[in-house]
Each structure stands twice: as structure tokens, then as C-alpha cells.
Amino acid sequence: MTKIDLSRKIEVPSWVDALLKPTKIGSGELERQWEEIGDEVMDVLKKVMPTGKYTLGPYLKKFEEEFAEFSNSKYGIGMSSGTAALHIALEAMGVGPGDEVITVCNTYVATAFAISYCGATPVFVDIDPKTYNLTAELVEKKITSKTKAIVPVHLYGQVVDMDPIMDLAKKHNLYVLEDASHAHGAYYKGRRAGSLGHAAAFSLYPSKNMGAYGDGGVITTSDPELNEKIRMLRYVGQRVKFIHEVIGFQDRLDEIQAAMLSVKLRHLDDWNNRRRKIAAIYDEMLKDTPLQLPYVADYAHHIYYSYVTITPNAEERTNLLIHLANNDIGAFAMYPILVPMQGAYEDLNYKESDFPVGSSYATRVLNLPIFETFREDEARATAEAILAYYDRA
């Protein structure tokens, strides 16, 4: 049973209030996307709705096959959310009580929650100061006899250096589950995210590079046994209807979302290229500022789920966020509190000093607005506002 203490004091960063109001630059991404593809989406909805088949039907099968092919994988399994995708994939890998799963400290909390849902213990590692991702060297130091799996997170749209991770997993007989929720369509040495581990979990939350009109997720794998186990677990533990072999879950993606996602998948590579063009504008205009700009590894094709900078110090992050908000520009900080420092994991007794790079970056991370319908003039206006802050306009 989860114990909830409603008397716990919650400290809210001073800059949060400045970011709650809609801004002229950085808002309206999904509304603009609808203007671009709304007719295509409505056309496919008109085909789905009359069928009366809204779960586990032909449109889900079609999307699963399309996304698997897109991700260089044999199988795609539509899920109710990215969190469910992570959880069910780990369950299929046999992760359970007494096991440890290694992941990174600076991710969305759902990465760790999925491990906890299995009854296992998340083990957190620090990050590489250039890519913000975990590395095989950091992971190897945390492997014990209890380690069952590794969950590398392709943070912000750049893929983890996966070959050393897979070599490490083979050496220690571990599963690798990619958390690819920021990396739809990203490449690693010419291979798509989603095809690099034993399985991968993608969130299809609306704001992702490819999102549903609500919650959704998808798992990719080329392992036929994992594919069958995942399908059984996502639909109440059955392979044959009414025969429930194990305690399963109700975590399938519905037909309507799948049909709409098939439309979006056709646009994804183009949308990612648009994000890359916006990132190139930021790179050029902000190269002489004190901000640490995104580093792109030579093995990676970055698709910029977020354009992430690191400010020189925490105070400057706060001042810049407020400055941009005052100029009607929406920026934010993802993620300002490391997962092991959250109240949900205080029983694991981690300290900020356990993650010297991650802890420092958490106080200084500053995400600039970027999405596929973000205009070049808006990117330039954002960069100019930052230059004005530094008196370099």
C-alpha cells in the first residue's frame, strides 16, 4: 500500500509562475499541427468510426506494422501510454521483486516508475556532460548480481551510444530496454532508435515528435518471444480469448488513435527535419553566448524533441526564464529535479553528490521552444531575446 503524506511541504521554484501563462512564441504547437494535417486525420476517422471496431482491429494492426518497419524492427505493439510500454516490456523481460534495473538520473519519472511497478529497484547513474545521456562506463560500475536490465534513455532526441551498452549487456546476460520516448525517428550509426536494444518503449503523448490525440505508446522489438509475451500482458494475460494464463493488464492502444497515428507517421521524418533546421538557427545565433549548446555525437542523428542549453549557473537560468517570459517567449526547464531526489525515491537514500554532473545540470538546464511548426522567424526572435539579455544583439 502506498502511503501518502498530504502534509509534506512542496517547494515550487521561483520561476514557475512566470511560465504558466501562454506566450506569443512557443505556444500553439498542436493547434498549428492540426491546421496542417487536420483534413487527413478527419478522412481516416470517417473510415474508422462506421466500422464499429474500436479495439484490436485492422487500423491498430496497420499502425503496428508501419511503426515497426519505420523503426527497423520486426514487431510493433500499440500500448495505452509510454509508461505502460516501459512497464509491460520490463514485465515481459521477467523483471520482478529482488531485481535491479539501471537507468539514468535525469529522465522523466515514469522511466523509474515502470521499474518500481515490476517490484524491482531502480539504480540510477550520472550522465555524460556532453550528451546528457548515460554511458556504458557509468552503467558498468553499478552492475551487481541483482541487475536484470538496463534502460538507456535517448534524452531530448539524441540516441545513447548503444553498441557499448549492448556489449555490456551481452557480457553480463542483461536485457536492454530503450526508453525512446524522446527519439521517434532518431538514428544511431544509420539504425533507427527502437531497433538497438532487445526492445524499445515509445511514448505517444501529444507533445512528442509524433504524438497521439491523447495518451498512447508503442513497443518495438525483433524478438518473437518478447513480442508474444508483451501482447499477452497488454491484454489481460491471454493469447486466446477467455483463457487467461497469467495476470495481465488492460493497456492496448485503441483503433482511433492508431489510425490517426498512421497519418502522423507519414509526416514524421519531414517534421524531424524541420526541428533540425530550427536547431541549426539556434546553434548559429547563440554560439558566442555563455550558454552550453547541444552537443551532437558523431554517431547520432539528433531529432531535437527539445533544444536544451545549460546556463552558467542556477541564478542565470532563473533570470533568463523570466526574461524570455517577459518577452512573450515560452521556455522551460526539463527536468529541474533528478528522479532519485524526488520524494517517491527518498527511501533509496541517494544524495545529489552521487550525481555531480546531473545535479549541476538540473539547476541550469534551459529548454528553448522548438517544434515542427515553429517558424524560423520565431526561432530568430527567441535567439535575439537571449542575445539582448547578454547585450550581444
Side-chain angles (χ1 to χ4, degrees):
M1 181 179 70
T2 301
K3 295 182 180 179
I4 302 175
D5 180 8
L6 296 179
S7 67
R8 178 193 293 267
K9 183 178 179 181
I10 299 175
E11 295 184 8
V12 180
S14 60
W15 45 264
V16 169
D17 286 344
L19 309 186
L20 293 180
K21 66 182 182 69
T23 56
K24 182 178 180 181
I25 295 177
S27 298
E29 58 189 289
L30 297 178
E31 294 90 333
R32 291 187 193 181
Q33 187 189 85
W34 178 258
E35 290 177 6
E36 185 173 304
I37 66 167
D39 289 344
E40 292 178 71
V41 173
M42 291 305 297
D43 285 345
V44 76
L45 280 177
K46 290 175 183 177
K47 295 177 181 177
V48 177
M49 298 309 292
T51 68
K53 180 66 174 176
Y54 305 136
T55 61
L56 297 178
Y59 287 94
L60 176 59
K61 184 175 185 293
K62 177 175 179 286
F63 170 68
E64 290 176 334
E65 292 172 349
E66 290 172 344
F67 193 78
E69 182 179 2
F70 177 85
S71 301
N72 305 145
S73 300
K74 290 183 179 179
Y75 309 105
I77 307 101
M79 304 296 299
S80 59
S81 70
T83 306
L86 287 162
H87 174 212
I88 298 301
L90 289 170
E91 291 274 1
M93 292 173 175
V95 173
D99 292 332
E100 295 177 347
V101 177
I102 300 172
T103 192
V104 73
C105 63
N106 64 330
T107 182
Y108 184 53
V109 73
T111 308
F113 278 4
I115 298 166
S116 298
Y117 294 157
C118 296
T121 300
V123 174
F124 299 101
V125 300
D126 204 6
I127 58 174
D128 176 81
K130 287 185 175 181
T131 65
Y132 319 137
N133 284 330
L134 58 67
T135 66
E137 181 181 7
L138 292 166
V139 169
E140 188 165 26
K141 293 176 182 178
K142 295 289 186 176
I143 292 175
T144 72
S145 60
K146 296 181 179 180
T147 306
K148 182 78 171 184
I150 306 167
V151 182
V153 179
H154 305 318
L155 201 67
Y156 307 135
Q158 176 159 234
V159 178
V160 170
D161 189 3
M162 287 295 294
D163 284 349
I165 296 290
M166 295 307 295
D167 289 344
L168 194 59
K170 184 177 181 180
K171 176 181 176 182
H172 294 277
N173 194 30
L174 305 175
Y175 278 110
V176 175
L177 171 62
E178 300 170 65
D179 185 337
S181 296
H182 292 188
H184 312 65
Y187 284 101
Y188 172 77
K189 298 182 179 179
R191 294 173 282 156
R192 293 273 198 187
S195 66
L196 308 170
H198 298 102
F202 293 81
S203 168
L204 300 175
Y205 186 75
S207 63
K208 301 299 184 183
N209 289 47
M210 186 185 73
Y213 291 95
D215 283 318
V218 61
I219 298 170
T220 55
T221 185
S222 293
D223 184 322
E225 184 174 320
L226 279 179
N227 171 59
E228 191 166 357
K229 288 180 177 179
I230 290 164
R231 291 182 185 279
M232 182 191 302
L233 287 166
R234 79 158 175 187
Y235 190 29
V236 291
Q238 59 184 6
R239 284 182 290 178
V240 178
K241 196 168 181 64
F242 302 129
I243 300 175
H244 304 274
E245 300 173 61
V246 297
I247 295 175
F249 306 87
Q250 198 69 281
D251 280 323
R252 60 192 182 230
L253 182 70
D254 67 60
E255 283 285 284
I256 295 170
Q257 294 290 357
M260 295 188 290
L261 285 161
S262 285
V263 172
K264 289 194 174 188
L265 184 58
R266 295 197 294 266
H267 295 271
L268 181 54
D269 277 334
D270 175 54
W271 286 348
N272 285 342
N273 286 333
R274 294 189 208 173
R275 287 173 180 260
R276 287 168 57 82
K277 289 179 181 178
I278 296 298
I281 291 172
Y282 284 148
D283 285 346
E284 177 61 28
M285 293 187 68
L286 300 176
K287 63 183 179 182
D288 295 323
T289 68
L291 298 175
Q292 177 180 321
L293 303 183
Y295 166 83
V296 181
D298 58 7
Y299 53 72
H301 178 86
H302 203 315
I303 50 86
Y304 294 97
Y305 169 62
S306 187
Y307 187 91
V308 180
T309 70
I310 304 295
T311 62
N313 55 63
E315 182 181 6
E316 192 153 313
R317 197 261 301 272
T318 297
N319 292 340
L320 257 175
L321 283 169
I322 293 172
H323 169 77
L324 290 170
N326 288 340
N327 281 272
D328 221 8
I329 296 169
F332 59 103
M334 179 198 301
Y335 303 97
I337 303 174
L338 298 182
V339 176
M341 297 296 105
Q342 298 281 359
Y345 288 111
E346 63 186 5
D347 61 312
L348 297 181
N349 297 314
Y350 283 103
K351 305 179 297 295
E352 288 187 353
S353 59
D354 295 325
F355 314 100
V357 179
S359 294
S360 175
Y361 281 16
T363 67
R364 299 187 288 135
V365 62
L366 173 65
N367 305 68
L368 302 185
I370 190 168
F371 44 90
E372 66 277 353
T373 52
F374 197 60
R375 301 191 308 269
E376 291 188 12
D377 65 293
E378 293 174 313
R380 295 185 186 280
T382 301
E384 286 166 1
I386 294 171
L387 292 172
Y389 174 86
Y390 287 116
D391 292 324
R392 301 184 185 200

